[in-house]
Amino acid sequence: MYAPNTKIIDIERRPIEDYVFEAVISFQAGVNEIILKGRGDFISRAVDVYWALKDRLGDSIELSNVEIGSERIRGRMRSYIAIHIRRKY
Amino acid sequence: MYAPNTKIIDIERRPIEDYVFEAVISFQAGVNEIILKGRGDFISRAVDVYWALKDRLGDSIELSNVEIGSERIRGRMRSYIAIHIRRKY
């Protein structure tokens, strides 16, 4: 579904800095694209993680796409966001 | 900043159905594009409003853009989402 060099990070209740750290490490390890995925109430948090990461990495990353979707989880529809971030150099 | 035939709906704590109703009425009144804007914790709710509206209006609307941004409000940075929806016919 996604390119092999893509990492998906599921955003849940851990501290925002943990996710930022995970993303930074992944880029350093050679990942080209990170997708921050937040579901339900964690959608807002995924956006906060994006901005914290942007603060940290500045122009070396760019927002390549923002998807919003809806998927069935245990019988109920839940909204999600998928924030695609690319490493520029 | 936005086309004259665009309506911005700020998503806050009112029931989701209220926002859906406001959007439906706006499209009926001739608006071509609606922007659902949610800030902070209301980002998730804006996505929920989008899906409730999509359920109601189906293929007569399309998602034209999803922006995520950050703006200064009373001295703090706050994240927001702006979901752009167009009427197709």
Side-chain angles (χ1 to χ4, degrees), chain A residues 40-41 44 47-48 51 66 69-70 79, chain B residues 40 43-44 47-48 51 66 69 79:
Chain A
D41 291 341
S44 310
V47 178
D48 289 341
W51 286 105
V66 181
S70 182
S79 299
Chain B
I43 290 175
S44 312
V47 178
D48 289 340
W51 286 106
V66 181
S79 298

Side-chain angles (χ1 to χ4, degrees), chain B residues 39-50:
Chain B
R39 296 175 182 80
D41 291 339
F42 297 118
I43 290 175
S44 312
R45 198 167 180 79
V47 178
D48 289 340
V49 171
Y50 168 72

Side-chain angles (χ1 to χ4, degrees), chain B residues 35-73:
Chain B
I35 299 172
L36 303 177
K37 188 159 184 182
R39 296 175 182 80
D41 291 339
F42 297 118
I43 290 175
S44 312
R45 198 167 180 79
V47 178
D48 289 340
V49 171
Y50 168 72
W51 286 106
L53 185 63
K54 185 69 184 165
D55 259 6
R56 183 75 65 87
L57 297 183
D59 288 340
S60 67
I61 58 169
E62 66 185 352
L63 187 62
S64 55
N65 191 23
V66 181
E67 287 172 73
I68 56 174
S70 182
E71 58 194 5
R72 189 173 294 278
I73 295 177

Side-chain angles (χ1 to χ4, degrees), chain A residues 2-31:
Chain A
Y2 292 122
N5 220 352
T6 293
K7 183 178 170 67
I8 300 175
I9 300 179
D10 285 308
I11 307 301
E12 293 179 313
R13 59 189 78 249
R14 284 161 48 206
I16 286 174
E17 279 309 310
D18 283 18
Y19 298 112
V20 171
F21 186 70
E22 188 176 343
V24 169
I25 295 291
S26 300
F27 279 134
Q28 278 172 357
V31 165

